Amino acid sequence: MTAEPLTDAPGRATAPAGAPGHEPLPDRATARTGTPDRTTAPDHGTTPDHGTAPSQGPAPDHGAAPADAPDRTAAPTDPRRARGNQLTRAAQWFAGTLNDPYGLILRSGTEDPRPHEERVRAEGPLFHSAPLDTWVTADRAVAEAVVADPAFDGPRPGPEAAAGDGLPYRSAVLAVDRETAARLAPLTALGGPMLWAPEEECVEKRTVTLARALLAGLGDRFDLAEDFARPLVGRVIGEQLGLPEAAHERFVRVLPDCRHALDGLLCPQPHAVVRAAERAEAALSAVLAEGLHEAGADSVRAARILAVGAAETTVVLVANAVRRLLAEPGAWQRLAADPALAAGAVQDTLRLAPPVRLETRTARADTVLAGTELPAGSRVTLLVAAVNRDPAAPADAAPFGLPGDLHFALSGRLVTVIARAALGALAGSLPALRTAGEEVTRPRSPVLAAPARLPVARTA
């Protein structure tokens, strides 16, 4: 487990990305017969944070919306909002045609993003994507400075800039700033007022139990992401939140429909996807308001952030870890013989194939980064996967991102705990697991590179 697999390695296919304005195939699209590369349906759509055409300005901050905020999908400005996001996607596409490396990363097509990430690194510690008016870094020291500097706060501009922004298609759940994260984090601590497990070991044991029960009901062939990882994560989180049975069942059904939230912070999602995701977030809020033991505004918001931040991130982390282990001869068998190796496998995956490849911040005040003066409102993207490959970083540096990062202050710890328990249970239960067809990568998923389909079989 020493190298990250190529994103377009054989067996992981993606269909051509296509030009902006076409609707992508459904998430679980079928790979085309005979295509040796990995497949994703066409890649066009409806919502960014970076990659916005400079004339359109940054996206609004809906993070302060109450848990019972009205569903925005019925807003009369839908056509205008959809058109604005189409234009944003066109701006990203145009940047790629100009050979801008950040634009090519956001286009999220069939190409392996690593060459574009390395082009950013070659430009120095801080690269300016002129077509998208975004500063981008693959430098570990610079990325750590951004995460630590209070001047960089959240993925969006402050509330004072939101009114003039015409690009509201973005998850309201993940618009978390430092102040909000600090206030809500104690609510989601293990053993705190919301999560019943007092320590990680309790979460791991319950995850293993639920994983084994789920696997027992699956056939010889199943989809690793859709049939195993997504329902498992929903069940674990819902149980940790103490939801009663009826609310728990609805929570598990609704949560997967929020899977586009992280990608939507940077990449416009299709109009139909956005409408479905907004309805899912509204339904999730209703379930939590009804089912949480103490359903105050902060509790509901903290639970939403935890659930949406942890769910798809954990799914991608498990999928990436399984891919890496199955690609290395004997690695899966070693894990099956000793499930305790799952912890090391998860750490290696966080470093070499992280589930979140891009992080975004907005400067809330004038500041200096890597010797460059950045005015308030400047957008910065951290190439997490490339940061973890930084040759100048200490050899023993911990994986960058997740628990120590702003978006995952409430969920990062739970992501790693659930992932290593799920991985160990999967290997222990299915020692002969193998891939059983072409993987389909979700269209417009530059942040997660999330699987839409990952077929596996129990036996060789």
Side-chain angles (χ1 to χ4, degrees), residues 177-201:
D177 57 24
R178 293 175 187 270
E179 180 182 357
T180 301
R183 187 180 82 250
L184 299 181
L187 296 176
T188 61
L190 290 176
M194 293 183 63
L195 301 184
W196 67 263
E199 54 190 17
E200 292 183 0
E201 185 179 3

PDB file of all heavy atoms in Angstrom, residues 177-201:
ATOM      1  N   ASP A 177     -18.634  28.207   9.478  1.00  0.00           N
ATOM      2  CA  ASP A 177     -17.484  29.061   9.747  1.00  0.00           C
ATOM      3  C   ASP A 177     -16.858  28.642  11.082  1.00  0.00           C
ATOM      4  O   ASP A 177     -17.363  27.761  11.784  1.00  0.00           O
ATOM      5  CB  ASP A 177     -17.886  30.539   9.760  1.00  0.00           C
ATOM      6  CG  ASP A 177     -18.988  30.843  10.763  1.00  0.00           C
ATOM      7  OD1 ASP A 177     -19.139  30.078  11.748  1.00  0.00           O
ATOM      8  OD2 ASP A 177     -19.701  31.840  10.579  1.00  0.00           O
ATOM      9  N   ARG A 178     -15.732  29.266  11.406  1.00  0.00           N
ATOM     10  CA  ARG A 178     -14.981  28.861  12.600  1.00  0.00           C
ATOM     11  C   ARG A 178     -15.796  29.038  13.880  1.00  0.00           C
ATOM     12  O   ARG A 178     -15.787  28.178  14.757  1.00  0.00           O
ATOM     13  CB  ARG A 178     -13.678  29.669  12.686  1.00  0.00           C
ATOM     14  CG  ARG A 178     -12.699  29.357  11.581  1.00  0.00           C
ATOM     15  CD  ARG A 178     -11.492  30.281  11.643  1.00  0.00           C
ATOM     16  NE  ARG A 178     -10.650  30.069  10.482  1.00  0.00           N
ATOM     17  CZ  ARG A 178      -9.650  29.189  10.433  1.00  0.00           C
ATOM     18  NH1 ARG A 178      -9.373  28.458  11.495  1.00  0.00           N
ATOM     19  NH2 ARG A 178      -8.929  29.048   9.339  1.00  0.00           N
ATOM     20  N   GLU A 179     -16.483  30.148  13.978  1.00  0.00           N
ATOM     21  CA  GLU A 179     -17.252  30.422  15.190  1.00  0.00           C
ATOM     22  C   GLU A 179     -18.350  29.371  15.382  1.00  0.00           C
ATOM     23  O   GLU A 179     -18.551  28.855  16.488  1.00  0.00           O
ATOM     24  CB  GLU A 179     -17.864  31.822  15.111  1.00  0.00           C
ATOM     25  CG  GLU A 179     -18.677  32.197  16.339  1.00  0.00           C
ATOM     26  CD  GLU A 179     -19.304  33.578  16.219  1.00  0.00           C
ATOM     27  OE1 GLU A 179     -19.048  34.258  15.203  1.00  0.00           O
ATOM     28  OE2 GLU A 179     -20.056  33.958  17.137  1.00  0.00           O
ATOM     29  N   THR A 180     -19.035  29.046  14.288  1.00  0.00           N
ATOM     30  CA  THR A 180     -20.105  28.046  14.378  1.00  0.00           C
ATOM     31  C   THR A 180     -19.538  26.681  14.738  1.00  0.00           C
ATOM     32  O   THR A 180     -20.092  25.968  15.588  1.00  0.00           O
ATOM     33  CB  THR A 180     -20.855  27.964  13.048  1.00  0.00           C
ATOM     34  OG1 THR A 180     -21.398  29.252  12.737  1.00  0.00           O
ATOM     35  CG2 THR A 180     -21.979  26.940  13.119  1.00  0.00           C
ATOM     36  N   ALA A 181     -18.436  26.292  14.083  1.00  0.00           N
ATOM     37  CA  ALA A 181     -17.839  24.987  14.364  1.00  0.00           C
ATOM     38  C   ALA A 181     -17.418  24.883  15.824  1.00  0.00           C
ATOM     39  O   ALA A 181     -17.638  23.858  16.479  1.00  0.00           O
ATOM     40  CB  ALA A 181     -16.646  24.756  13.446  1.00  0.00           C
ATOM     41  N   ALA A 182     -16.811  25.946  16.355  1.00  0.00           N
ATOM     42  CA  ALA A 182     -16.367  25.923  17.751  1.00  0.00           C
ATOM     43  C   ALA A 182     -17.554  25.821  18.709  1.00  0.00           C
ATOM     44  O   ALA A 182     -17.482  25.143  19.741  1.00  0.00           O
ATOM     45  CB  ALA A 182     -15.548  27.174  18.055  1.00  0.00           C
ATOM     46  N   ARG A 183     -18.667  26.472  18.363  1.00  0.00           N
ATOM     47  CA  ARG A 183     -19.836  26.448  19.238  1.00  0.00           C
ATOM     48  C   ARG A 183     -20.533  25.088  19.219  1.00  0.00           C
ATOM     49  O   ARG A 183     -21.023  24.617  20.255  1.00  0.00           O
ATOM     50  CB  ARG A 183     -20.827  27.534  18.801  1.00  0.00           C
ATOM     51  CG  ARG A 183     -22.004  27.699  19.761  1.00  0.00           C
ATOM     52  CD  ARG A 183     -22.975  28.759  19.328  1.00  0.00           C
ATOM     53  NE  ARG A 183     -23.921  28.283  18.328  1.00  0.00           N
ATOM     54  CZ  ARG A 183     -23.927  28.655  17.059  1.00  0.00           C
ATOM     55  NH1 ARG A 183     -23.028  29.526  16.625  1.00  0.00           N
ATOM     56  NH2 ARG A 183     -24.828  28.174  16.221  1.00  0.00           N
ATOM     57  N   LEU A 184     -20.558  24.455  18.059  1.00  0.00           N
ATOM     58  CA  LEU A 184     -21.318  23.215  17.919  1.00  0.00           C
ATOM     59  C   LEU A 184     -20.494  21.965  18.212  1.00  0.00           C
ATOM     60  O   LEU A 184     -21.076  20.909  18.511  1.00  0.00           O
ATOM     61  CB  LEU A 184     -21.897  23.111  16.500  1.00  0.00           C
ATOM     62  CG  LEU A 184     -22.870  24.209  16.064  1.00  0.00           C
ATOM     63  CD1 LEU A 184     -23.356  23.947  14.645  1.00  0.00           C
ATOM     64  CD2 LEU A 184     -24.049  24.317  17.016  1.00  0.00           C
ATOM     65  N   ALA A 185     -19.176  22.042  18.119  1.00  0.00           N
ATOM     66  CA  ALA A 185     -18.346  20.844  18.262  1.00  0.00           C
ATOM     67  C   ALA A 185     -18.591  20.082  19.564  1.00  0.00           C
ATOM     68  O   ALA A 185     -18.647  18.846  19.549  1.00  0.00           O
ATOM     69  CB  ALA A 185     -16.871  21.207  18.117  1.00  0.00           C
ATOM     70  N   PRO A 186     -18.746  20.750  20.721  1.00  0.00           N
ATOM     71  CA  PRO A 186     -18.988  19.984  21.953  1.00  0.00           C
ATOM     72  C   PRO A 186     -20.262  19.140  21.905  1.00  0.00           C
ATOM     73  O   PRO A 186     -20.348  18.115  22.584  1.00  0.00           O
ATOM     74  CB  PRO A 186     -19.090  21.082  23.031  1.00  0.00           C
ATOM     75  CG  PRO A 186     -18.312  22.234  22.479  1.00  0.00           C
ATOM     76  CD  PRO A 186     -18.573  22.194  21.007  1.00  0.00           C
ATOM     77  N   LEU A 187     -21.223  19.544  21.081  1.00  0.00           N
ATOM     78  CA  LEU A 187     -22.461  18.775  20.999  1.00  0.00           C
ATOM     79  C   LEU A 187     -22.240  17.413  20.349  1.00  0.00           C
ATOM     80  O   LEU A 187     -22.955  16.452  20.646  1.00  0.00           O
ATOM     81  CB  LEU A 187     -23.517  19.554  20.199  1.00  0.00           C
ATOM     82  CG  LEU A 187     -24.007  20.874  20.798  1.00  0.00           C
ATOM     83  CD1 LEU A 187     -24.963  21.560  19.830  1.00  0.00           C
ATOM     84  CD2 LEU A 187     -24.692  20.639  22.135  1.00  0.00           C
ATOM     85  N   THR A 188     -21.271  17.325  19.439  1.00  0.00           N
ATOM     86  CA  THR A 188     -21.071  16.088  18.687  1.00  0.00           C
ATOM     87  C   THR A 188     -19.852  15.306  19.167  1.00  0.00           C
ATOM     88  O   THR A 188     -19.411  14.380  18.487  1.00  0.00           O
ATOM     89  CB  THR A 188     -20.923  16.384  17.186  1.00  0.00           C
ATOM     90  OG1 THR A 188     -19.776  17.225  16.974  1.00  0.00           O
ATOM     91  CG2 THR A 188     -22.164  17.069  16.648  1.00  0.00           C
ATOM     92  N   ALA A 189     -19.320  15.646  20.314  1.00  0.00           N
ATOM     93  CA  ALA A 189     -18.205  14.881  20.876  1.00  0.00           C
ATOM     94  C   ALA A 189     -18.710  13.526  21.363  1.00  0.00           C
ATOM     95  O   ALA A 189     -19.850  13.404  21.832  1.00  0.00           O
ATOM     96  CB  ALA A 189     -17.571  15.655  22.028  1.00  0.00           C
ATOM     97  N   LEU A 190     -17.878  12.498  21.241  1.00  0.00           N
ATOM     98  CA  LEU A 190     -18.260  11.185  21.754  1.00  0.00           C
ATOM     99  C   LEU A 190     -18.527  11.284  23.248  1.00  0.00           C
ATOM    100  O   LEU A 190     -17.741  11.864  24.003  1.00  0.00           O
ATOM    101  CB  LEU A 190     -17.150  10.167  21.480  1.00  0.00           C
ATOM    102  CG  LEU A 190     -16.949   9.778  20.018  1.00  0.00           C
ATOM    103  CD1 LEU A 190     -15.759   8.830  19.873  1.00  0.00           C
ATOM    104  CD2 LEU A 190     -18.205   9.126  19.461  1.00  0.00           C
ATOM    105  N   GLY A 191     -19.643  10.724  23.670  1.00  0.00           N
ATOM    106  CA  GLY A 191     -20.026  10.820  25.069  1.00  0.00           C
ATOM    107  C   GLY A 191     -20.642  12.152  25.443  1.00  0.00           C
ATOM    108  O   GLY A 191     -20.962  12.379  26.609  1.00  0.00           O
ATOM    109  N   GLY A 192     -20.818  13.027  24.448  1.00  0.00           N
ATOM    110  CA  GLY A 192     -21.417  14.328  24.718  1.00  0.00           C
ATOM    111  C   GLY A 192     -22.932  14.249  24.755  1.00  0.00           C
ATOM    112  O   GLY A 192     -23.514  13.166  24.847  1.00  0.00           O
ATOM    113  N   PRO A 193     -23.591  15.390  24.613  1.00  0.00           N
ATOM    114  CA  PRO A 193     -25.059  15.402  24.763  1.00  0.00           C
ATOM    115  C   PRO A 193     -25.812  14.776  23.600  1.00  0.00           C
ATOM    116  O   PRO A 193     -27.011  14.500  23.729  1.00  0.00           O
ATOM    117  CB  PRO A 193     -25.381  16.900  24.858  1.00  0.00           C
ATOM    118  CG  PRO A 193     -24.232  17.587  24.193  1.00  0.00           C
ATOM    119  CD  PRO A 193     -23.030  16.742  24.463  1.00  0.00           C
ATOM    120  N   MET A 194     -25.134  14.517  22.447  1.00  0.00           N
ATOM    121  CA  MET A 194     -25.856  14.009  21.288  1.00  0.00           C
ATOM    122  C   MET A 194     -25.484  12.576  20.919  1.00  0.00           C
ATOM    123  O   MET A 194     -26.347  11.794  20.534  1.00  0.00           O
ATOM    124  CB  MET A 194     -25.621  14.924  20.071  1.00  0.00           C
ATOM    125  CG  MET A 194     -26.225  16.305  20.237  1.00  0.00           C
ATOM    126  SD  MET A 194     -26.007  17.334  18.781  1.00  0.00           S
ATOM    127  CE  MET A 194     -26.945  16.404  17.575  1.00  0.00           C
ATOM    128  N   LEU A 195     -24.215  12.214  20.994  1.00  0.00           N
ATOM    129  CA  LEU A 195     -23.778  10.874  20.607  1.00  0.00           C
ATOM    130  C   LEU A 195     -23.688   9.994  21.843  1.00  0.00           C
ATOM    131  O   LEU A 195     -23.039  10.345  22.820  1.00  0.00           O
ATOM    132  CB  LEU A 195     -22.414  10.934  19.910  1.00  0.00           C
ATOM    133  CG  LEU A 195     -22.335  11.795  18.644  1.00  0.00           C
ATOM    134  CD1 LEU A 195     -20.958  11.679  18.012  1.00  0.00           C
ATOM    135  CD2 LEU A 195     -23.412  11.406  17.648  1.00  0.00           C
ATOM    136  N   TRP A 196     -24.321   8.821  21.785  1.00  0.00           N
ATOM    137  CA  TRP A 196     -24.411   8.014  22.997  1.00  0.00           C
ATOM    138  C   TRP A 196     -23.106   7.301  23.327  1.00  0.00           C
ATOM    139  O   TRP A 196     -22.837   7.014  24.492  1.00  0.00           O
ATOM    140  CB  TRP A 196     -25.543   6.997  22.882  1.00  0.00           C
ATOM    141  CG  TRP A 196     -25.330   5.917  21.853  1.00  0.00           C
ATOM    142  CD1 TRP A 196     -25.805   5.889  20.583  1.00  0.00           C
ATOM    143  CD2 TRP A 196     -24.574   4.717  22.019  1.00  0.00           C
ATOM    144  NE1 TRP A 196     -25.404   4.755  19.939  1.00  0.00           N
ATOM    145  CE2 TRP A 196     -24.651   4.003  20.798  1.00  0.00           C
ATOM    146  CE3 TRP A 196     -23.842   4.153  23.077  1.00  0.00           C
ATOM    147  CZ2 TRP A 196     -24.028   2.775  20.602  1.00  0.00           C
ATOM    148  CZ3 TRP A 196     -23.218   2.925  22.879  1.00  0.00           C
ATOM    149  CH2 TRP A 196     -23.310   2.251  21.654  1.00  0.00           C
ATOM    150  N   ALA A 197     -22.261   6.970  22.338  1.00  0.00           N
ATOM    151  CA  ALA A 197     -21.049   6.199  22.611  1.00  0.00           C
ATOM    152  C   ALA A 197     -20.036   7.062  23.357  1.00  0.00           C
ATOM    153  O   ALA A 197     -19.709   8.166  22.912  1.00  0.00           O
ATOM    154  CB  ALA A 197     -20.435   5.693  21.312  1.00  0.00           C
ATOM    155  N   PRO A 198     -19.502   6.592  24.488  1.00  0.00           N
ATOM    156  CA  PRO A 198     -18.543   7.399  25.246  1.00  0.00           C
ATOM    157  C   PRO A 198     -17.141   7.374  24.673  1.00  0.00           C
ATOM    158  O   PRO A 198     -16.314   8.222  25.012  1.00  0.00           O
ATOM    159  CB  PRO A 198     -18.573   6.747  26.635  1.00  0.00           C
ATOM    160  CG  PRO A 198     -18.932   5.323  26.368  1.00  0.00           C
ATOM    161  CD  PRO A 198     -19.863   5.345  25.189  1.00  0.00           C
ATOM    162  N   GLU A 199     -16.831   6.411  23.803  1.00  0.00           N
ATOM    163  CA  GLU A 199     -15.472   6.308  23.254  1.00  0.00           C
ATOM    164  C   GLU A 199     -15.522   5.622  21.895  1.00  0.00           C
ATOM    165  O   GLU A 199     -16.516   5.009  21.510  1.00  0.00           O
ATOM    166  CB  GLU A 199     -14.577   5.522  24.216  1.00  0.00           C
ATOM    167  CG  GLU A 199     -15.137   4.164  24.573  1.00  0.00           C
ATOM    168  CD  GLU A 199     -14.384   3.503  25.708  1.00  0.00           C
ATOM    169  OE1 GLU A 199     -13.654   4.208  26.435  1.00  0.00           O
ATOM    170  OE2 GLU A 199     -14.524   2.278  25.859  1.00  0.00           O
ATOM    171  N   GLU A 200     -14.406   5.718  21.159  1.00  0.00           N
ATOM    172  CA  GLU A 200     -14.348   5.184  19.799  1.00  0.00           C
ATOM    173  C   GLU A 200     -14.601   3.687  19.759  1.00  0.00           C
ATOM    174  O   GLU A 200     -15.220   3.174  18.817  1.00  0.00           O
ATOM    175  CB  GLU A 200     -12.987   5.502  19.177  1.00  0.00           C
ATOM    176  CG  GLU A 200     -12.756   6.968  18.910  1.00  0.00           C
ATOM    177  CD  GLU A 200     -11.436   7.234  18.232  1.00  0.00           C
ATOM    178  OE1 GLU A 200     -10.687   6.257  17.968  1.00  0.00           O
ATOM    179  OE2 GLU A 200     -11.129   8.414  17.949  1.00  0.00           O
ATOM    180  N   GLU A 201     -14.139   2.956  20.758  1.00  0.00           N
ATOM    181  CA  GLU A 201     -14.293   1.509  20.757  1.00  0.00           C
ATOM    182  C   GLU A 201     -15.759   1.102  20.696  1.00  0.00           C
ATOM    183  O   GLU A 201     -16.118   0.122  20.029  1.00  0.00           O
ATOM    184  CB  GLU A 201     -13.636   0.908  22.005  1.00  0.00           C
ATOM    185  CG  GLU A 201     -13.656  -0.617  22.026  1.00  0.00           C
ATOM    186  CD  GLU A 201     -12.972  -1.184  23.249  1.00  0.00           C
ATOM    187  OE1 GLU A 201     -12.525  -0.385  24.112  1.00  0.00           O
ATOM    188  OE2 GLU A 201     -12.888  -2.420  23.355  1.00  0.00           O
TER     189      GLU A 201
END
